[in-house]
Amino acid sequence: MQFFKDFSLSALSAGFVAVLVGVTSSVALVFQAAQAFGATPAQISSWMWALGWGIGLCCVVPSLWLRKPVMVAWSTPGAAVLAAAGVSGGFSMAEAVGAFMLSAALIALFGYSGWFEKLMDRIPASIAAALLAGVLARFGLQVFESAQTALPLVLAMLLAYLLSRRIWPRYAVMLTLLAGVLWAALQGQMRWEQVQWSLAMPQWTTPTFSWQACISLALPLFVVTMASQNLPGVAVIRSAGFALPVSKLVGLTGGVTFLLAPFGAFGINLAAITAAICMGPEAHAQPARRYTAAVWCGLFYIVLGIFGAVVAGLLAAFPQELVMAIAGLALLGSISAGLVAALQQDSSREAALITFLVTLSGVVIAGVGSAFWGVVAGSVALFVQQYRPWRTK
């Protein structure tokens, strides 16, 4: 099988780091969202089962089929929206599942119809690159922010990264992660009490549809997933130079979410942060073999789906500073590439810079994240600067 011929430790490491970053940075939000709808421990475990299998299969199958890295994740801003709306609205789990299915149906519609990709095609390349750089730069800053609370750990990881980049550049991220885990273990910073030894089992919830849940849950979940997840996800794909069938992939994530929603899959979408890890040169020097990193990522997510709370607990055992540092260091190459692409043309440099700064700010307006508003601000700036209604042919 070609996958085994293309195997590399750097790709396996990239896949694991992607799952580590994706899960540990937001798994608490997923648990909060489930609890907001009165979920039992068995239902929370079912959420992890559905998300793990859904994300895993959406990574593994298309990546092997296309021989290109296809990366998906759960909607982190969607989980935040659900956690807040669930507490304030008093919705039941059945109403929440109905909202998940409606949001997923809308995502599938916008994907398979091609509407979303047509919108992305109208965004200038410099604006898309600036969007990518702004999204990723926040994680780059966290490397040094985490040094305020765990300076020895971060310095050890930074030194390991710099040395390995010079000696074994293909394995820099993996060696940096090992150095961080070893340091944390020796310092007694691993939180092994987070681990709960139980397998995840699917729990069916019959959906209930109500207009209140549609307005308060389904529509906000759809908007933030498309604007804050799929939008930067496409930017990462194009910045990395991969020609993927975006419309079909977005439709696939919506369809899989719809099918798994009764078991707790609230939102599966294109990945952005973790996609940059598996689509960059750190995963493999040869772009044609980077799909293996996405496959490994998907396999690790399937393991998460099988073991649920066990794997989530193991990943949660890592110190938060370690996760922040490894995420930022793994994304340095993608951040620099995004900035170079965004700022190389004089005609769009200022608009791209505005996009970058608005996205980096993390501003949230009307419940929609900074990725969307960065594109809006940059596009408006570019229009004002370049539109000449009086220009003659």
Side-chain angles (χ1 to χ4, degrees):
M1 185 177 179
Q2 188 64 38
F3 170 74
F4 295 105
K5 294 180 180 179
D6 292 335
F7 170 80
S8 68
L9 287 176
S10 60
L12 186 151
S13 171
F16 178 76
V17 169
V19 176
L20 171 67
V21 172
V23 173
T24 55
S25 62
S26 60
V27 69
L29 275 176
V30 176
F31 284 15
Q32 286 179 328
Q35 291 170 345
F37 302 114
T40 64
Q43 287 175 320
I44 294 176
S45 179
S46 179
W47 279 41
M48 299 307 299
W49 178 89
L51 291 169
W53 276 99
I55 294 171
L57 292 176
C58 285
C59 287
V60 172
V61 176
S63 295
L64 289 174
W65 181 267
L66 300 171
R67 296 283 175 83
K68 296 175 182 178
V70 175
M71 291 289 295
V72 303
W74 62 55
S75 177
T76 299
V81 167
L82 293 174
V87 172
S88 61
F91 297 102
S92 67
M93 180 63 73
E95 289 178 304
V97 168
F100 301 165
M101 296 180 72
L102 178 57
S103 172
L106 290 173
I107 292 173
L109 174 62
F110 272 72
Y112 286 125
S113 66
W115 297 340
F116 179 68
E117 189 169 7
K118 289 179 181 178
L119 175 63
M120 287 298 303
D121 289 339
R122 300 184 67 86
I123 298 177
S126 59
I127 299 297
L131 164 68
L132 170 64
V135 170
L136 301 184
R138 282 181 286 169
F139 287 80
L141 291 173
Q142 288 179 356
V143 176
F144 307 100
E145 291 174 355
S146 60
Q148 297 180 10
T149 54
L151 181 60
L153 172 64
V154 174
L155 288 179
M157 294 180 67
L158 182 59
L159 179 61
Y161 177 80
L162 294 174
L163 290 175
S164 55
R165 281 289 294 173
R166 180 172 181 177
I167 304 173
W168 299 292
R170 284 183 59 184
Y171 308 108
V173 175
M174 179 182 66
L175 293 173
T176 303
L177 175 62
L178 290 176
V181 172
L182 179 61
W183 183 279
L186 292 175
Q187 298 298 314
Q189 297 175 343
M190 300 295 289
R191 302 187 298 273
W192 300 117
E193 68 279 1
Q194 299 285 339
V195 181
Q196 300 177 12
W197 300 102
S198 61
L199 297 179
M201 296 297 293
Q203 297 284 323
W204 172 272
T205 299
T206 301
T208 298
F209 298 93
S210 67
W211 69 267
Q212 295 93 339
C214 172
I215 299 298
S216 301
L217 297 179
L219 292 182
L221 179 60
F222 166 73
V223 170
V224 300
T225 298
M226 297 298 286
S228 300
Q229 295 282 162
N230 284 329
L231 183 64
V234 174
V236 172
I237 292 171
R238 295 183 173 178
S239 177
F242 291 103
L244 291 173
V246 171
S247 294
K248 293 182 180 179
L249 292 177
V250 172
L252 174 66
T253 61
V256 172
T257 303
F258 184 88
L259 293 175
L260 292 175
F263 301 102
F266 62 89
I268 298 174
N269 46 248
L270 297 180
I273 306 302
T274 54
I277 296 174
C278 290
M279 291 183 179
E282 291 78 10
H284 201 285
Q286 301 177 24
R289 297 174 66 180
R290 292 176 193 169
Y291 77 94
T292 57
V295 174
W296 280 115
C297 178
L299 292 175
F300 285 128
Y301 266 112
I302 290 175
V303 172
L304 173 67
I306 295 173
F307 293 98
V310 178
V311 178
L314 285 172
L315 296 176
F318 290 103
Q320 186 62 31
E321 293 85 357
L322 186 153
V323 176
M324 294 166 64
I326 194 63
L329 293 172
L331 293 170
L332 287 180
S334 298
I335 296 171
S336 62
L339 286 173
V340 169
L343 303 177
Q344 63 181 353
Q345 295 185 4
D346 291 340
S347 60
S348 60
R349 183 171 298 160
E350 193 168 79
L353 183 59
I354 291 174
T355 300
F356 171 76
L357 292 176
V358 173
T359 305
L360 179 61
S361 71
V363 62
V364 177
I365 302 175
V368 180
S370 61
F372 174 79
W373 298 115
V375 172
V376 171
S379 299
V380 170
L382 191 63
F383 177 81
V384 171
Q385 291 174 337
Q386 296 187 357
Y387 180 60
R388 299 290 187 271
W390 55 84
R391 183 181 298 169
T392 58
K393 296 183 179 180

